[in-house]
Each structure stands twice: as C-alpha cells, then as structure tokens.
Amino acid sequence: MGLFERFKQGLSKTREKLAGGFRAVLRIGQKIDQSTLDRLEESMLLSDFGPATTAALIQTARDGWKSGQIKEEHEVIDYLKQRIIERWPEDDRSLKFAASGPTVILMTGINGSGKTTSVAKLAHWLTAQGKKVILGACDTYRAAAVEQLSVWAQRTGVQIVKHDQGADPGAVAYDACDAALARNADVLLIDTAGRLHTQDHLMRELGKIQRVVERRIEGAPHEVLIVLDATIGQNALQQARMFSEHVRITGIFLAKLDGSAKGGVVVSIRDALNVPVKFVGLGEKPADVEPFDPKTFVEALFSE
Amino acid sequence: MFDALTDRLGNVFRGLRGRGKITEENVGEIMREIRTALLEADVNLEVARKFCDEVQVKAIGAEVVKTLKPDQVMVKIVHDELVRIMGPVDPRIPFVSPGPTVLLMAGLQGSGKTTTCGKMASMLLKKAKRPLLVAADLKRPAAIDQLEVIGRQIGVPAYTERGHENAVKVCTNGIAYAKKTDRDVVILDTAGRLAIDEALMQELESVAKQCNPHQVYLVLDAMTGQDAVNTAKIFNERLEIDACILTKFDSDTRGGAALSVKHITGKPIKFIGVGEKMEALEEFRPDRIAGRILGMGDVLSLVEQAQQQFDKDEAAKLEAKMAKGSFSLEDFRDHLRKLRKMGSMKDLMKKIPGMSGLVQDEDVDDHELVHLEALIDSMTPKERAKPELIDASRRRRIARGAGLDPQDVSGLVKQFETMRDMMKKMSGMNMLQRIKFSTQVGNLMASGGQLRKLKASTTATQRSLSKKDKRKDRKKRSR
C-alpha cells in the first residue's frame, strides 16, 4: 500500500467528516461570504485545531478573500491547504543523523501516548533503511514495559539493552550508549517511561537521561521526539511546551492517526513552539509508520 | 493558554456595564467568549454550542449587570449549568448476588485500561471484595505480564492464558475460574481498540454477549479532544456502556471531554484516575471539573497533590513539632523537597484561584529553593537541629560547602526562624488554609526580591552594634 493510500485509509473518517463539513457546504460558483468562513471555522474546530489557531487561519482566509486572491468557496480550501503546508518546509521534517558514530534518538511522551509502539515502528523503519539499530529500554517504571519492548525487539530483529524493572533509567541510558558505541550501531533508540508533563520530578528525570546521553556520545541526543496521541486535544500543546522545558524536543511523532481523530493541534504546536512533525503512526503493526508529509496530511484532511 | 473565563468575561462586561441587563443584542459576544473557553478546554463543538444555547436562555433577562460583578454572576450561571449537566454522579458499583459481578473495561489504546483495572481492584479490596483480574488484552505485547505484575503489587490474582487468540474464551474461562476460586468480582481487561476498527469492535461485542458483564465501563483519557464524542458514541452504541472512567486527570488538562462524553452518552462518569499509584482512583466530582473546564483553578487538586506528598502520619508528626516549636532545619529541608516535588512554585501558584493572573515569571525563582537546600545540606546535624549554634566561622564553612556567600547562611537562618514562628501559627489551620499559607511562605522564600532584602538587612545586623544601638534594638523589639 502506498503512502498516500495508507494516509487516505487512515484518515477516511476524517474525510467523511470534512466532506460533510467542507465540500457539502462549499459549492462551486458560490461566492465567499461570512457564512462560508463560519462553516470553515466550525470544521477546523472539530479537527482539534483549537480556537486560537482556527481564528488565525480564518483570518488568513478572510484576508485572501478581501484582497481578492480568492473569490469562490471552492478556492478557499486550496488556499488554506497551501497556508498550512507552508508551515512544514522539507529540511526540518527529516531525521538528523550523526556525521559519524551512532545517532541517538530519545523518545518521550506522556503515559499511553504510544511511545513503546512508536519505538518499534522507528526500529522497523530504520532497519528497512539499512541501519543497524539498538534499543535502550529506559522505561523501567511501568509494569512489563521492558518485556513489551523486548517482544518488539525480537519481532523487528534488533538488539536491546535492558535492566530490570525499577532500575535507574539513567544507568540504562548509559549502558545503551556504551553498547551502541561498542557494537558500531547506526542508531540508538531510547524508550523512556511515560510521564505526565505536570510531574516535575519525573520531568527532571528525563532531563537527566538526556544529560547522560549527552556526556556519553558527542552531539547526542541527535533527535528528541515527543510522541503525541492524535486523539488528544489542546492539552497536546501544553505537553509539547512542558517537555521542551526539560529536554530539547526536535520533533513530533504523531501516533494513532488511523483513528477518527485528526491531530489538528500539531498546527498550533508548529506555530507556538516551532516543533515540526517528523513521523506519523497509523496502526498497531511495526510497518504502520510513515515520515510526515504535510502535503499528504493536509490533502487527506481536505480531500473527499 | 487563554485566561480564565472570568477574565474574558470581565473584559466583555466592561464594555457592557451600565446597560442594565443582558439582552439578545449583547448576549452574542458573551456567548462567544464562553464558547471559546469551552473549546479551549476541549469540549466538543456541538456540545459547546448546545450548552451555550441553554445558558443563553437562562442568562437573557437575568439582571446580572446590575450587580457589582456581572462577569462573576455569569460565570456562576455557566458553572452551575456545567455541574448540572455533568451530574448527578453515583460512584457505587452495583454488585450482584450470587456473584461474581463482572466488570468489563473497554477503550482506546493508551487510555489507561490496564492501570485502571488495577486501581479498581485495589479499591474493591478496600471494600472487602475479592476481585479477580482477567487479562483479555491479547494484542499488545506484554499486556498480560503488565496485568500480572499489577496484580502482584496489590495482592489480587490475575487469570491469564498465554498463547491464546480468542479473547471471548479467555473471558468466559476467567469467569468460570472466579466461580471456582470464590472471587466475587471479575474485572475484564480488554485490548485497546479504535472505535472505527470493525473487527475488534465485533470481538468486543461478542465478549459482551458471551460474558454478560454487569457493568461496562468506557475508559477514556481526560485529555481527549474533539474526537471524544465519536469514541463515546460508538462504544455506547455497540456495548451499551454503564459509565465512563476518565483517566490522567492529574495532568493539567481542562477536562472538557467530561462534558462531551456525558452529553453524548447520557451515562455518568463514575471515577477519575488521578495518578500512577494504585490508590489514585477517585469519585468524579462535577463541581471540581466544572471549575477546571472554566480555567478557574482547582484548589482541591492542589490539596490532593499536597496530600500525595505529605502523608498523614508524617503530617501529624510535623504538626506536633510545629506546635512545640521544635521544627528543625532538617524538617524544613524535607518540607522543601516535597514542595519541589509538587512542581515548580510558578505552577503551584497558578493553581490557586485568582493567583494565576498575579504571578509573574520573574517573581518566582525556583533556584532559591535549590540554594536553600544546598545550604542546609552543608550543615552538620547539630547545626540543623540548633541553628543558633551557627557563628561566623561555621557560617563561612557552610557557605563554602554550598558555594554561596556567608550572608546567604544568615539569611536562611533568619528566614527559618520566621518560618518556625509561622509554623506554630499554622498548626491550628485546616488543609486549605495551610496550602494557601505554605504557598505564601514558599513565595516569601522563593522570591528573589525578598531574599535580597533579607540579605541586606542581615548585612546590616552583621556589623557589630554599639551598646547604644543594641539597647535601641531591644527597646524596639519589646515594643
């Protein structure tokens, strides 16, 4: 299945919704008026864009309309699509790899956002790219998290560095770095325990993991991804903000986009924190991952 | 983050004041603010709209503007309406006899089902029930292990079948096992699934058909956005749920999903999950969630956070010490550490209603707390017990140890003495007063300005005073 189909399939519900929300009400030949904008606003709010970003985008559309760039209702979607796509230029969507030695990717996020599954997906994706991957099981808190990652390691055929449950995650990170160096791995993927962004001591623990990695491998972590559940609403912005205060978040892994939720909040996150989306998760199998492509994302959102 | 609804409405009403009452003409702007506040809190758009319509009817004609604070009257109308819609709540679980009572937990991936199963079992244990956990999540790797570990932690058996693919079979076997081993409540932990995943939803339906659960609970993340209504609607249609459990309410989510879910399903929210510990399952309280949705701060959650850190026995001990005035620097350090665990000072202050607007970032410096801790760390146990022992030489040693100035040491000692006095006063207060009070204390300690002032005054007292000055000083104090 190609990228576009997968997206389309994953977002089928979204399209139904938006088809009802946009196309059904936006007729070709119909001139734009205030009610067009009101209906657009509504549909965007339902996609979790949030009131602030929605207002800003509607203003954009209004400006385009007032300045005569767009006149008819059907043009307004293309116009907005373009404005949203422009937010993700290509260079900051791709993973940054180390010039030499292992590239370290630290995966973070709140409980239940889908970190461990996303780690497995990235391991699968990177292996398919011919990279040698090692996993670091730093979620030593949740019951059976290490076992869960071990199962994924086995299924995706990558090595894993782990300690027992309850071990210091910093120590696991340390060992994982050593293993990555000793075994000449291309990528070290570090899974961390889910933590609510409001729990200060856990956030500081995450900062510590980052510092351990920084000291062991120069330039590491090369990527710090926050895994966001696409069903989460406006709180996702708060999550990204608080995580950014403790580790240097370089991108978003948008998980669970195969449901009926649209993840529109990533637009707000881009605007507020300048953090790009790098990957999307579209299912429960390791293969259900795609690098984020804004065109497909927005296209699928707005297509019939 | 947007300001609380109170602030927003305050702005609108400023423009309205003097015009008598809310009319059809001016109500639009007010409703828009309310709607935005609800949307910010992730209330579903449709639900927010219906809600606003209802509030509008109540508000029009209400002579709210004649009162001194029309915005607050309006907020009260909204608040009461929220409470009315989200209630009433019945946190009881209807048990059947003869047992076992079967509870089915369903929800999306990552909503917190397995953890909630553990919490539920732990709660049932306290009610003198004999629960059995059944691991029917056969999809996620190690989900069975997770439930087993949780079961061991709380001392509840878990029924598992490995290598099985049929969740229905595991559930029916689990219930049979419960009958055989005399367990009176069975908790079925099912795999997470999307509402639009037809195959998995069918599996869930057949589990429900075969096992006839007495209660079906939908477990939903309290942070869920607009999609909460879709999930709740479909699960309710397919399973006929009895109630919802909202998880992760210990985050800073405004929790608008609660309103959406109640509105769409008409089913009560029975419990909320408020932490990672197995005891962290609570009754749903509409009044508190209403406050959160409106961004009015949630003092009670602050109280709870405090209670998490300060357990009762410790509190009692501390209280005795405070009353006696034998509160030492060691206790002070413990207190500091716990305070810091609750989050940064800034966040704490923001949770207190009315404070969110007042706190400026530069007012609060968490580093000061770190410094205070470092200073106490470099004291000897004796000095911590009796700070009055600290003379110039000890002061220099402590300062060196902490990497700070000797003035900081005297500043700390002075602060500590003031604190100790305040603690004595505090020993008679209730929890809420105490929270407010300790935040004030915290603020006093944390605010750089205050400390600088203190520093200056200590430098002043450090130079040896003449006899005349000392006499003057004594006189001043005795007055």
Side-chain angles (χ1 to χ4, degrees):
Chain A
M1 197 190 295
L3 167 74
F4 190 70
E5 282 71 29
R6 200 185 288 277
F7 252 116
K8 280 196 102 164
Q9 195 193 41
L11 291 163
S12 60
K13 274 282 161 182
T14 308
R15 275 182 285 107
E16 273 169 39
K17 157 83 55 210
L18 286 166
F22 287 114
R23 289 291 182 206
V25 292
L26 301 183
R27 286 144 299 171
I28 293 180
Q30 179 76 34
K31 292 273 179 280
I32 298 173
D33 56 18
Q34 184 56 42
S35 87
T36 316
L37 297 182
D38 287 348
R39 279 169 287 155
L40 269 175
E41 179 191 34
E42 185 174 302
S43 304
M44 278 193 273
L45 287 172
L46 282 173
S47 305
D48 282 321
F49 278 81
T53 305
T54 301
L57 283 168
I58 288 295
Q59 190 55 47
T60 309
R62 190 189 309 276
D63 292 344
W65 168 39
K66 296 284 183 197
S67 67
Q69 286 182 63
I70 43 173
K71 289 190 181 69
E72 293 183 9
E73 287 199 336
H74 71 279
E75 292 172 318
V76 73
I77 297 180
D78 289 332
Y79 186 77
L80 275 181
K81 255 192 229 167
Q82 204 45 46
R83 296 291 92 75
I84 299 172
I85 290 170
E86 280 165 5
R87 284 171 156 79
W88 290 284
E90 196 180 341
D91 54 324
D92 70 357
R93 295 198 315 265
S94 50
L95 279 183
K96 305 274 182 292
F97 289 98
S100 66
T103 300
V104 182
I105 304 177
L106 187 61
M107 302 290 276
T108 67
I110 66 156
N111 317 56
S113 59
K115 278 174 306 306
T116 307
T117 309
S118 301
V119 166
K121 287 176 179 179
L122 276 187
H124 175 89
W125 187 80
L126 289 162
T127 308
Q129 312 265 309
K131 306 273 185 199
K132 183 179 176 187
V133 179
I134 289 187
L135 305 181
C138 290
D139 181 356
T140 52
Y141 183 83
R142 179 165 63 87
V146 177
E147 283 86 343
Q148 189 182 348
L149 195 66
S150 303
V151 172
W152 282 127
Q154 213 177 359
R155 285 190 198 166
T156 50
V158 300
Q159 297 178 18
I160 179 169
V161 176
K162 57 186 176 186
H163 288 191
D164 289 335
Q165 198 193 332
D168 174 25
V172 185
Y174 189 98
D175 286 355
C177 287
D178 278 0
L181 289 166
R183 300 177 202 169
N184 275 324
D186 296 311
V187 181
L188 168 62
L189 270 171
I190 297 181
D191 184 27
T192 61
R195 60 199 81 222
L196 284 182
H197 48 294
T198 45
Q199 284 173 322
D200 203 49
H201 61 294
L202 293 180
M203 295 305 287
R204 287 203 302 265
E205 180 192 88
L206 191 61
K208 183 185 162 189
I209 297 175
Q210 176 174 288
R211 285 194 299 280
V212 167
V213 174
E214 270 166 7
R215 253 176 259 143
R216 269 334 261 173
I217 297 176
E218 206 194 314
H222 305 84
E223 291 279 359
V224 182
L225 302 184
I226 181 170
V227 181
L228 293 179
D229 181 337
T231 53
I232 300 298
Q234 297 311 299
N235 192 258
L237 174 58
Q238 194 63 7
Q239 290 171 24
R241 180 171 289 142
M242 302 278 268
F243 271 84
S244 294
E245 281 176 17
H246 289 85
V247 285
R248 43 166 205 280
I249 298 291
T250 58
I252 294 168
F253 189 116
L254 188 58
K256 308 187 203 176
L257 203 58
D258 50 331
S260 44
K262 358 274 179 293
V265 68
V266 296
V267 180
S268 313
I269 296 176
R270 177 85 233 202
D271 289 354
L273 304 171
N274 202 25
V275 175
V277 187
K278 298 214 169 180
F279 287 92
V280 292
L282 297 159
E284 294 194 273
K285 293 187 294 299
D288 296 331
V289 58
E290 295 289 349
F292 177 69
D293 174 28
K295 200 152 185 280
T296 323
F297 177 68
V298 177
E299 199 65 44
L301 266 173
F302 285 76
S303 73
E304 275 173 69
Chain B
M1 269 289 182
F2 273 106
D3 298 325
L5 181 63
T6 321
D7 300 342
R8 297 167 151 268
L9 288 182
N11 291 335
V12 178
F13 276 99
R14 229 156 278 145
L16 276 183
R17 234 169 251 184
R19 274 189 246 162
K21 57 181 179 179
I22 299 178
T23 64
E24 303 222 11
E25 289 81 58
N26 61 26
V27 77
E29 201 182 341
I30 299 162
M31 284 305 147
R32 209 173 165 76
E33 291 299 323
I34 294 172
R35 197 189 73 149
T36 309
L38 294 176
L39 289 172
E40 266 303 317
D42 286 322
V43 175
N44 176 265
L45 178 64
E46 293 301 322
V47 178
R49 183 175 294 144
K50 282 203 190 98
F51 178 84
C52 284
D53 289 347
E54 282 160 35
V55 169
Q56 185 165 343
V57 173
K58 295 200 171 170
I60 288 183
E63 305 212 347
V64 289
V65 186
K66 276 189 184 162
T67 61
L68 277 173
K69 294 188 166 162
D71 43 345
Q72 290 186 2
V73 176
M74 194 64 207
V75 169
K76 189 175 181 321
I77 294 178
V78 175
H79 186 270
D80 291 351
E81 190 65 11
L82 280 175
V83 173
R84 192 184 67 77
I85 292 181
M86 287 194 289
V89 178
D90 180 9
R92 278 173 305 179
I93 299 171
F95 297 107
V96 294
S97 134
T101 308
V102 179
L103 311 177
L104 175 71
M105 305 288 216
L108 303 182
Q109 292 94 338
S111 56
K113 283 176 300 304
T114 306
T115 307
T116 305
C117 285
K119 290 178 179 177
M120 183 68 94
S122 166
M123 189 175 76
L124 291 169
L125 273 185
K126 286 195 190 118
K127 292 185 177 166
K129 294 283 171 192
R130 297 180 306 279
L132 173 75
L133 294 163
V134 175
D137 180 355
L138 310 173
K139 297 237 16 160
R140 181 161 59 90
I144 298 175
D145 299 319
Q146 190 186 351
L147 198 68
E148 266 180 347
V149 173
I150 287 175
R152 263 203 305 279
Q153 271 172 17
I154 55 176
V156 170
Y159 178 82
T160 60
E161 282 184 46
R162 281 167 203 278
H164 226 300
E165 297 230 322
N166 188 343
V168 182
K169 201 97 193 98
V170 173
C171 289
T172 46
N173 290 349
I175 295 168
Y177 179 79
K179 284 180 186 149
K180 213 165 62 191
T181 54
D182 193 30
R183 312 302 298 183
D184 54 8
V185 186
V186 180
I187 303 171
L188 306 175
D189 179 28
T190 64
R193 63 202 76 213
L194 292 164
I196 55 168
D197 189 329
E198 191 47 42
L200 283 176
M201 288 307 283
Q202 265 171 20
E203 180 200 80
L204 205 52
E205 272 179 330
S206 46
V207 169
K209 208 173 273 168
Q210 299 290 317
C211 303
N212 286 314
H214 302 91
Q215 294 271 293
V216 179
Y217 295 142
L218 172 65
V219 181
L220 194 77
D221 190 323
M223 289 175 259
T224 310
Q226 297 290 321
D227 195 51
V229 292
N230 298 337
T231 303
K233 201 170 146 211
I234 299 175
F235 271 87
N236 192 32
E237 280 166 8
R238 306 288 294 251
L239 285 180
E240 189 59 39
I241 62 168
D242 293 282
C244 294
I245 299 174
L246 291 178
T247 59
K248 307 180 205 171
F249 246 119
D250 48 330
S251 69
D252 55 354
T253 182
R254 302 265 296 273
L259 183 68
S260 306
V261 166
K262 178 70 209 291
H263 197 282
I264 290 294
T265 63
K267 302 293 164 61
I269 297 155
K270 272 191 192 292
F271 303 103
I272 58 173
V274 290
E276 301 211 36
K277 294 205 185 97
M278 280 299 135
E279 300 79 46
L281 189 69
E282 289 184 356
E283 293 173 17
F284 176 70
R285 301 268 305 279
D287 48 338
R288 291 176 39 188
I289 305 306
R292 277 174 80 144
I293 290 177
L294 298 179
M296 291 170 16
D298 183 359
V299 192
L300 285 166
S301 84
L302 187 61
V303 172
E304 262 148 31
Q305 242 181 318
Q307 275 167 342
Q308 258 179 25
Q309 295 304 331
F310 302 85
D311 74 57
K312 274 188 190 136
D313 299 345
E314 267 180 70
K317 263 189 228 159
L318 202 63
E319 197 149 323
K321 278 185 182 167
M322 283 181 201
K324 273 195 288 180
S326 67
F327 183 75
S328 73
L329 273 167
E330 204 121 1
D331 303 317
F332 180 43
R333 184 176 56 177
D334 282 352
H335 193 81
L336 276 181
R337 281 185 185 154
K338 281 173 184 159
L339 217 55
R340 285 212 296 147
K341 260 198 187 161
M342 284 168 63
S344 73
M345 274 297 154
K346 202 168 59 186
D347 294 337
L348 280 181
M349 315 261 295
K350 279 186 182 153
K351 288 204 174 121
I352 298 175
M355 287 290 266
S356 54
L358 296 174
V359 186
Q360 235 91 80
D361 281 9
E362 59 268 25
D363 284 350
V364 184
D365 184 1
D366 279 322
H367 280 299
E368 291 289 348
L369 296 187
V370 181
H371 288 173
L372 291 180
E373 224 182 291
L375 285 169
I376 301 174
D377 280 343
S378 38
M379 292 178 185
T380 65
K382 245 188 194 161
E383 288 163 349
R384 285 180 208 147
K386 279 189 151 187
E388 45 282 7
L389 280 177
I390 299 170
D391 55 16
S393 148
R394 284 176 189 264
R395 194 152 43 223
R396 273 197 302 278
R397 194 203 75 244
I398 296 166
R400 248 199 329 274
L404 293 161
D405 296 334
Q407 291 101 294
D408 295 316
V409 183
S410 16
L412 163 67
V413 173
K414 218 163 187 167
Q415 264 182 299
F416 172 70
E417 280 163 356
T418 331
M419 274 265 303
R420 195 159 51 184
D421 294 344
M422 286 201 274
M423 290 287 177
K424 260 191 190 169
K425 278 190 224 155
M426 211 161 114
S427 54
M429 296 180 183
N430 67 26
M431 197 62 187
L432 193 71
Q433 288 169 316
R434 207 169 281 179
I435 292 292
K436 280 190 181 161
F437 189 79
S438 50
T439 322
Q440 275 167 14
V441 174
N443 189 26
L444 187 76
M445 295 182 312
S447 66
Q450 288 281 356
L451 195 62
R452 253 174 266 128
K453 247 183 264 161
L454 257 169
K455 250 191 222 172
S457 69
T458 44
T459 9
T461 49
Q462 256 177 355
R463 93 191 121 81
S464 45
L465 301 169
S466 67
K467 275 191 177 163
K468 207 172 131 197
D469 283 343
K470 275 185 182 164
R471 222 178 299 128
K472 234 196 245 165
D473 234 34
R474 218 173 296 135
K475 246 188 191 168
K476 219 192 277 168
R477 258 178 281 145
S478 63
R479 233 181 272 150

